[in-house]
Amino acid sequence: MAGIVGGGGGGGVGKESVVTIVWDSGRQRFASQDGQAYLEYKLKPPPPAVSSAVALPVNNGKQVMDVLHTFVPASKRGLGLASKLCIAAFTHARDHNMLVLPTCSYVSDTFIPRHPEWNGLVVPESFNPKL
Ligand code: COA
């Protein structure tokens, strides 16, 4: 399944551009319409429930979207395109009751610190203690 999941302007003054983000569920990626910029993820099933009356299941039993890699062609960097890909991925995770594991350093070191509104979706153990 594939679909258009977001678009709009971005960046700062003088950087406005319209970008449409497409979701390709088969390849597990969000991408620009030309496919040159993309965010790759892998879905991880929720871990098996712990048979204890008090212990909460790991990750609240939620499926995890492991964001493996983000790529933007050199000619289009610095315009917020990777940020738009992340917003599409986080929005998808929120709408599907998933958590996000930021394996990609752009997500962990740049996107999440700049977008704390998404903190609630991040796998708690994955927060970078250096930040
Ligand atoms: N890790 C963390 N942050 C990074 C980064 C990386 N590897 N590469 C660039 N950034 C930061 C930059 O410092 C920049 O900060 P600035 O705004 O203060 O200049 C910021 O990302 C730019 O954000 P944005 O415009 O949303 O990103 P982008 O569209 O330019 O794309 C990448 C960013 C990382 C996707 C792009 O540089 C790229 O494809 N690099 C090669 C592949 C890569 O290293 N991917 C990340 C690891 S999986």
Side-chain angles (χ1 to χ4, degrees), residues 68-73 76-84 104-107 109-110 114:
L68 302 171
H69 188 54
T70 312
F71 178 82
V72 170
K76 295 179 179 171
R77 288 180 191 166
L79 302 175
L81 187 46
S83 174
K84 288 189 176 66
C104 168
S105 64
Y106 170 80
V107 183
D109 297 355
T110 298
R114 292 180 183 181

Side-chain angles (χ1 to χ4, degrees), residues 1-5 22-26 29:
M1 186 163 67
I4 293 173
V5 295
V22 178
W23 175 46
D24 184 338
S25 67
R29 61 165 59 185

Side-chain angles (χ1 to χ4, degrees), residues 26-99:
R27 296 178 76 186
Q28 300 204 335
R29 61 165 59 185
F30 294 87
S32 56
Q33 259 187 322
D34 63 9
Q36 291 185 13
Y38 57 86
L39 175 154
E40 283 181 342
Y41 65 89
K42 184 173 68 181
L43 293 182
K44 295 183 165 185
V50 179
S51 56
S52 160
V54 287
L56 285 172
V58 177
N59 296 332
N60 283 337
K62 292 185 177 182
Q63 190 172 41
V64 170
M65 174 191 278
D66 185 356
V67 179
L68 302 171
H69 188 54
T70 312
F71 178 82
V72 170
S75 62
K76 295 179 179 171
R77 288 180 191 166
L79 302 175
L81 187 46
S83 174
K84 288 189 176 66
L85 291 165
C86 288
I87 289 171
F90 273 76
T91 300
H92 179 89
R94 180 196 63 200
D95 293 349
H96 292 80
N97 201 30
M98 298 173 188
L99 294 179

